[in-house]
Amino acid sequence: MSERRYDPKTIEPKWQEVWEREHTWEVSNEPDGRKKSYVLEMLPYPSGEPHIGHLKNYALGDAMAHFHRRTGHQVLHPMGYDAFGLPAENNAIKTGVHPREATNQSIAAFRHWFHRWGISIDWSREIASHDPAYYRWTQWIFLRMFERGLAYRKEAAVNWCPNDQTVLANEQVIDGRCERCGAVVEVRQLEQWFFRITDYADRLLDDLDKIDWPRHVKIMQRNWIGRSAGAQVVFRCEELEIDYPVFTTRPDTLFGATFFVMAPEHPDVFKLVAGTEHEHEVHEYVNRVLSESFEDRGAAEKPKTGVPLGRTVTNPVNGEQIPMYVSDYVLMEYGTGAIMAVPAHDERDFAFAQRFGLEIRRVVGTDEELPYTGDGPMTNSSSLFDGMDNRRAYEAIVHWLELEAKGSPSVNYRLRDWLLSRQRYWGCPIPVVYCERDGIVAVPDEDLPVDLPEIEDFQPKGRSPLAAATDWVNTSCPRCGGPARRETDTMDTFVDSSWYFLRYCDADNDEAPWDRAVIDRWMPVDQYIGGVEHAILHLMYARFFVKALADMGLLGVQEPFQALFTQGMILGPDGHKMSKSQGNVISPAPIVDRFGADAARAYVLFIGPPDQDAAWSDTGVEGVERFLARLWRLGDALAHEPEGAQPRAAEPPPAPEGSSLFLVRKANWAIEKVTRDMTGRFAFNTAIAAIMELVNEVYRHLDADLDARRFAIATAASLVFPFAPHLGAEVYEMLTGERVWEKPWPAPDPAMLQSDSFQLVCQINGKVRDRVEAPTGAPREELERLCREAPNVRAHLDGHEVVKVIVVPDKLVNLVVR
RNA sequence: GCGGGCGUGGCGAAAUCGGUAGACGCGCCGGCUUUAGGUGCCGGUGGGCUAACGCCCUUGGGGGUUCAAGUCCCUCCGCCCGCACCA
């Protein structure tokens, strides 16, 4: 055999086989006395092969899982696939390959790479959302929602993607464009299925305080829910004898309301304008606005437009008749679809008033420039309130409105109900039928799953391709037995991923989605890891599902993910987001082939703080590979040194001195450092740096005793295991004959964390002037004396008077001189 | 516009509690090993001045608090992310 060298190509398959053969990472649902820990990375959407972001995601999660196992936890670390979705279907339209076939192929590729990366997954719990054994329970959960009115059908103005030929949830529209394909979204009036997530708005908001999530993700969710407290106030149109309630967050400005505006979609607009001189103009205006895209209408900067309705309403606080308008800056979906306009204290109303020459009446403040949205004394309102602080007047006015039955406190949310139906094929069928006699009827539980039928033409035609599967569509009503048609829309794939973490707990259960006792044991997920792009969609929906299921008594937790970590992206070598068109895509496959899975994994963790974006560097991964090879060589050399050739426990020598003592100390320092970096924070980059330091020191102290070197290298192997598991296992075994993952995480020896002496920093006026060796724990006087005696300090002290001495024990002395 | 984050060597970064700025890695320079290249090992590497001991400057700019500031406060500039007619 030629010269021995670090060869991941033999080491990695060797350990992967052991773990597979022995089912090492499988975990029982039976408690075994250890604390449970549920470590989960967001499940992948299987499309093609895994990319570098997947590698980072699972390398991160795996490091956490290993660390938790070795710190005494029973760890659940499963894997699955978010297998339904548009890309596979669009691919089918293009290539004719059935979405199932393409998806299954991709799943096989992902599975293959997870093995080759050596991710410690409990494969006995593997799931895929397109598997009837899984989506049966997605449908089951839908029915439970339906029974409680949490899933309902209604006609509404919805977002329609003309390219994907389907409706989209509010959350899937970004800047007026389809999140997936980028087409400009249209507004359509359609009957669709919704989840009543708005019922949970307050709880989704309040419970954010209970979970350990990044601040910015919580803020994004808070903003998305958009809770506003204010009042509902009734304005009456006397001519038509209709009351129009409006929502306002500023009831204190009611006396400044000088006009009234309705959304173009408001159902009463045509009724109000009928018979007035503006009738024709209003019809034209409304039609034009409704045909405008989301994008065109949305811009805040565009000049205000609108048309008078030729009617007035009465301001309830002062009886004034104020003119009514229709304008597209008022949204039908928020509040009541009508507003009171206070131009002096609202920028939008101000712009509208200027454009249409309407009165702008200050009611708050004194001489601030208008529009003024701040606080101040009330004015021009009523003798009751003028002079009063506007915040106090707010309360008083709401109170008065309540007494007069003209208004009441009210809360509004930006959050809308979750539109879940999609007019597409490759998704979970919605388990209801439409019966001529009984209307919407749920498919009974025992008939689940409603199978996704086979079809040939995936081309969308403005209705679900499933509608063409007539044999499947035509069925009988479960209630009356008469003819009925199946629902042909499928579910948004976010429904599938809103509960998958629950299914992992009890993946084989075919009696129920899960057993309550089992789920109570594992939930919540202790550490969730994924990309920040899911900050709103998936993370909000999953929280909603868990709360709804908890309300049904199916779960005992209110939150799915106790702690969340959002990883940064790996950018291309040019520092830009990887994309095929940019030609800067780094694929993990050749990297793993060339450097090994351990080097690839350790590199993406070493590249920088894991929550930050970082550019890929080929020389960077080479550097990490070099480090792993150095560690391997030291292990190999020690395992072949005549005296150390027999594997045995790697204990530090009893009374080390010199280089040996130094190495034992360094190893203990590394244990302490790596442990601290992995606990509470995710500083894998500095943890790996510490192991590098340890390895470097062994090279520099080859004169140390064999046992000291063995201890240092076995420690390095043990510490590197969560990041480079194959190499860690290999080196540890070479030295000790033992399996590192079965060994507890090392604990530092406190006696070895401290040295007898330290470098005392000697400062004068805060500037470092010298450094001297000083005994650890020396009293302040002695430190001061040592500092004063330091050669360069003496030189600087010459002729100066010391007016103050600051001593930081075991660290520094600062002499303040004049 | 509102909200959040960030700004440190040639590059990725570290400094966790206000106490030695630049750990670790990349790159670069030099040495040893090698027939040579590569690999490997050792050393050097923020800027300026100096023969040297050393000295001065340096964490986006300016100001402040402090014995001491990358870290705290004020202010300005730049970049990134989220939301954006939500009454």
Side-chain angles (χ1 to χ4, degrees):
Chain A
M1 194 179 148
S2 63
E3 188 199 351
R4 292 191 306 271
R5 56 182 195 86
Y6 169 55
D7 180 19
K9 280 197 169 62
T10 56
I11 293 173
E12 293 181 355
K14 168 185 156 188
W15 291 105
Q16 285 157 16
E17 255 170 63
V18 170
W19 297 330
E20 195 167 353
R21 189 172 61 237
E22 301 184 5
H23 305 273
T24 311
W25 313 120
E26 286 181 22
V27 67
S28 160
N29 280 343
E30 296 304 316
D32 65 0
R34 288 178 291 170
K35 260 178 81 177
K36 74 94 181 177
S37 170
Y38 189 173
V39 177
L40 185 64
E41 302 92 65
M42 290 180 184
L43 87 176
Y45 174 77
S47 169
E49 298 216 333
H51 54 70
I52 207 93
H54 290 114
L55 178 69
K56 178 167 177 179
N57 193 202
Y58 300 109
L60 272 167
D62 209 37
M64 286 316 296
H66 278 311
F67 183 68
H68 283 209
R69 285 190 193 98
R70 291 186 57 206
T71 49
H73 297 85
Q74 193 181 17
V75 172
L76 175 57
H77 189 223
M79 183 60 71
Y81 310 95
D82 187 16
F84 278 134
L86 266 182
E89 186 167 345
N90 289 340
N91 175 63
I93 293 162
K94 211 161 59 187
T95 65
V97 178
H98 194 286
R100 183 178 298 112
E101 194 180 317
T103 301
N104 285 341
Q105 239 174 54
S106 175
I107 286 176
F110 272 73
R111 197 185 285 130
H112 164 80
W113 282 108
F114 291 147
H115 276 106
R116 270 200 69 181
W117 295 348
I119 311 289
S120 64
I121 293 160
D122 179 349
W123 287 105
S124 71
R125 297 168 187 263
E126 189 184 21
I127 58 165
S129 61
H130 72 317
D131 181 351
Y134 180 87
Y135 71 68
R136 169 187 179 185
W137 301 113
T138 308
Q139 294 173 343
W140 186 91
I141 291 168
F142 174 89
L143 292 176
R144 300 292 83 76
M145 298 281 217
F146 179 61
E147 285 164 5
R148 284 162 179 76
L150 289 174
Y152 67 96
R153 214 173 141 76
K154 78 161 186 205
E155 191 184 296
V158 298
N159 308 302
W160 174 265
C161 173
N163 183 47
D164 289 334
Q165 296 270 302
T166 182
V167 296
L168 299 171
N170 225 17
E171 289 81 355
Q172 287 165 324
V173 179
I174 310 292
D175 294 332
R177 289 169 180 276
C178 172
E179 177 202 41
R180 285 233 168 265
C181 70
V184 173
V185 167
E186 298 167 5
V187 178
R188 287 204 180 178
Q189 204 68 24
L190 290 170
E191 194 176 286
Q192 295 291 327
W193 284 98
F194 292 86
F195 281 133
R196 212 177 287 282
I197 190 171
T198 50
D199 272 13
Y200 287 76
D202 273 324
R203 286 166 62 188
L204 288 168
L205 207 53
D206 293 343
D207 287 353
L208 285 172
D209 293 335
K210 298 183 187 161
I211 49 183
D212 179 16
W213 284 22
R215 199 154 72 118
H216 66 281
V217 176
K218 289 190 184 183
I219 288 169
M220 279 202 255
Q221 291 217 348
R222 280 200 190 96
N223 290 344
W224 190 262
I225 295 166
R227 184 182 198 274
S228 300
Q232 185 140 307
V233 186
V234 178
F235 285 69
R236 184 171 177 82
C237 175
E238 309 289 353
E239 293 161 282
L240 280 83
E241 301 187 333
I242 305 174
D243 280 342
Y244 288 110
V246 300
F247 173 72
T248 178
T249 54
R250 295 292 304 275
D252 52 315
T253 64
L254 256 166
F255 291 91
T258 54
F259 57 101
F260 189 94
V261 191
M262 303 189 92
E265 295 88 349
H266 197 289
D268 284 3
V269 164
F270 294 147
K271 183 160 67 182
L272 282 159
V273 79
T276 76
E277 54 182 315
H278 303 288
E279 189 165 3
H280 181 68
E281 202 189 342
V282 165
H283 275 260
E284 270 192 345
Y285 179 76
V286 170
N287 286 338
R288 198 182 77 228
V289 168
L290 293 190
S291 69
E292 266 181 357
S293 72
F294 220 89
E295 198 180 30
D296 292 341
R297 183 170 165 185
E301 309 81 35
K302 82 167 188 176
K304 294 282 176 283
T305 60
V307 183
L309 289 171
R311 304 279 181 188
T312 61
V313 285
T314 310
N315 183 339
V317 293
N318 55 14
E320 278 181 38
Q321 295 298 307
I322 58 176
M324 299 180 87
Y325 284 80
V326 57
S327 173
D328 64 358
Y329 83 93
V330 176
L331 309 173
M332 192 59 219
E333 314 89 79
Y334 188 76
T336 61
I339 62 155
M340 68 175 208
V342 184
H345 305 289
D346 181 282
E347 282 169 27
R348 298 150 299 178
D349 298 344
F350 183 85
F352 191 90
Q354 280 205 314
R355 185 92 195 268
F356 289 84
L358 295 158
E359 186 194 348
I360 298 168
R361 184 195 306 158
R362 171 193 296 279
V363 291
V364 176
T366 46
D367 49 11
E368 300 88 352
E369 194 190 339
L370 297 180
Y372 174 63
T373 54
D375 293 320
M378 300 284 289
T379 182
N380 297 327
S381 294
S382 122
S383 54
L384 281 173
F385 304 117
D386 282 349
M388 189 189 276
D389 175 78
N390 73 304
R391 298 205 181 214
R392 299 228 340 260
Y394 176 117
E395 307 294 334
I397 290 173
V398 172
H399 185 67
W400 180 85
L401 286 167
E402 272 191 288
L403 290 176
E404 296 287 313
K406 287 172 173 168
S408 56
S410 172
V411 173
N412 259 270
Y413 302 91
R414 214 190 78 113
L415 183 70
R416 310 281 149 79
D417 275 344
W418 171 10
L419 198 173
L420 72 109
S421 42
R422 297 289 181 274
Q423 290 70 52
R424 298 299 299 251
Y425 169 71
W426 190 233
C428 176
I430 295 173
V432 299
V433 302
Y434 298 93
C435 169
E436 280 165 34
R437 236 189 56 182
D438 296 319
I440 299 175
V441 180
V443 173
D445 287 355
E446 56 271 26
D447 294 344
L448 299 183
V450 173
D451 282 310
L452 187 63
E454 291 306 315
I455 61 165
E456 268 147 40
D457 183 7
F458 303 103
Q459 197 69 46
K461 298 174 179 71
R463 54 170 200 172
S464 169
L466 282 179
T470 45
D471 288 353
W472 178 84
V473 170
N474 293 314
T475 184
S476 54
C477 172
R479 197 173 296 164
C480 71
R485 295 174 58 81
R486 288 190 190 279
E487 171 63 76
T488 57
D489 284 358
T490 53
M491 295 186 210
D492 180 3
T493 57
F494 280 105
V495 181
D496 308 322
S497 57
S498 290
W499 73 281
Y500 76 103
F501 44 91
L502 303 172
R503 184 63 179 169
Y504 282 141
C505 299
D506 204 7
D508 289 333
N509 196 331
D510 52 14
E511 310 285 310
W514 57 78
D515 182 86
R516 171 76 198 254
V518 171
I519 209 127
D520 283 353
R521 165 159 168 61
W522 288 115
M523 287 297 291
V525 172
D526 296 278
Q527 184 62 61
Y528 201 34
I529 301 149
V532 74
E533 64 273 17
H534 293 107
I536 293 168
L537 291 149
H538 165 58
L539 289 170
M540 181 90 77
Y541 294 151
R543 295 182 62 218
F544 159 61
F545 258 51
V546 161
K547 288 181 191 305
L549 293 165
D551 288 351
M552 298 173 197
L554 295 166
L555 304 172
V557 294
Q558 286 293 323
E559 286 290 335
F561 315 122
Q562 186 51 45
L564 172 71
F565 185 84
T566 52
Q567 79 197 58
M569 258 185 306
I570 304 266
L571 307 172
D574 55 359
H576 295 112
K577 199 172 161 170
M578 288 187 193
S579 81
K580 277 177 199 159
S581 60
Q582 295 251 355
N584 62 349
V585 176
I586 300 290
S587 161
I591 301 291
V592 170
D593 277 340
R594 215 171 121 204
F595 302 105
D598 281 337
R601 291 178 55 163
Y603 173 62
V604 296
L605 300 182
F606 179 68
I607 193 169
D611 56 338
Q612 230 171 76
D613 293 351
W616 179 268
S617 149
D618 276 333
T619 51
V621 70
E622 282 169 27
V624 169
E625 198 250 6
R626 213 152 27 229
F627 152 66
L628 297 177
R630 278 160 67 82
L631 173 53
W632 183 88
R633 274 197 305 274
L634 283 173
D636 179 67
L638 285 170
H640 289 84
E641 233 175 76
E643 316 160 59
Q646 280 306 313
R648 61 194 157 85
E651 295 295 333
E657 284 175 4
S659 283
S660 300
L661 176 61
F662 180 87
L663 282 189
V664 172
R665 281 206 176 119
K666 189 73 188 181
N668 278 282
W669 167 85
I671 293 169
E672 198 276 336
K673 168 77 176 154
V674 173
T675 308
R676 201 152 34 91
D677 283 350
M678 296 195 70
T679 316
R681 52 186 227 154
F682 293 77
F684 300 139
N685 54 331
T686 50
I688 292 169
I691 307 168
M692 287 174 170
E693 281 192 57
L694 174 58
V695 170
N696 289 343
E697 292 303 347
V698 178
Y699 272 94
R700 289 179 198 133
H701 295 84
L702 293 174
D703 61 319
D705 294 346
L706 178 69
D707 277 356
R709 284 177 287 140
R710 281 172 50 85
F711 173 68
I713 290 307
T715 298
S718 179
L719 294 176
V720 88
F721 174 76
F723 317 114
H726 312 89
L727 173 86
E730 177 75 12
V731 171
Y732 199 85
E733 194 202 45
M734 284 197 289
L735 292 178
T736 68
E738 294 183 297
R739 294 170 154 190
V740 68
W741 66 85
E742 292 171 359
K743 307 295 287 183
W745 188 253
D749 174 358
M752 286 295 160
L753 287 178
Q754 257 207 346
S755 166
D756 312 334
S757 64
F758 70 99
Q759 288 257 308
L760 177 69
V761 173
C762 307
Q763 294 182 336
I764 292 175
N765 288 345
K767 281 192 194 304
V768 180
R769 290 305 179 193
D770 216 335
R771 295 180 176 88
V772 292
E773 202 72 9
T776 305
R780 311 176 81 92
E781 302 73 42
E782 187 180 351
L783 294 178
E784 182 183 339
R785 184 180 58 77
L786 284 166
C787 175
R788 283 175 182 271
E789 284 170 3
N792 201 40
V793 169
R794 290 170 71 156
H796 278 84
L797 230 40
D798 187 39
H800 290 90
E801 183 196 352
V802 176
V803 292
K804 193 170 179 184
V805 180
I806 313 284
V807 180
V808 182
D810 292 345
K811 198 143 232 166
L812 65 78
V813 173
N814 186 16
L815 305 176
V816 185
V817 305
R818 204 157 29 207

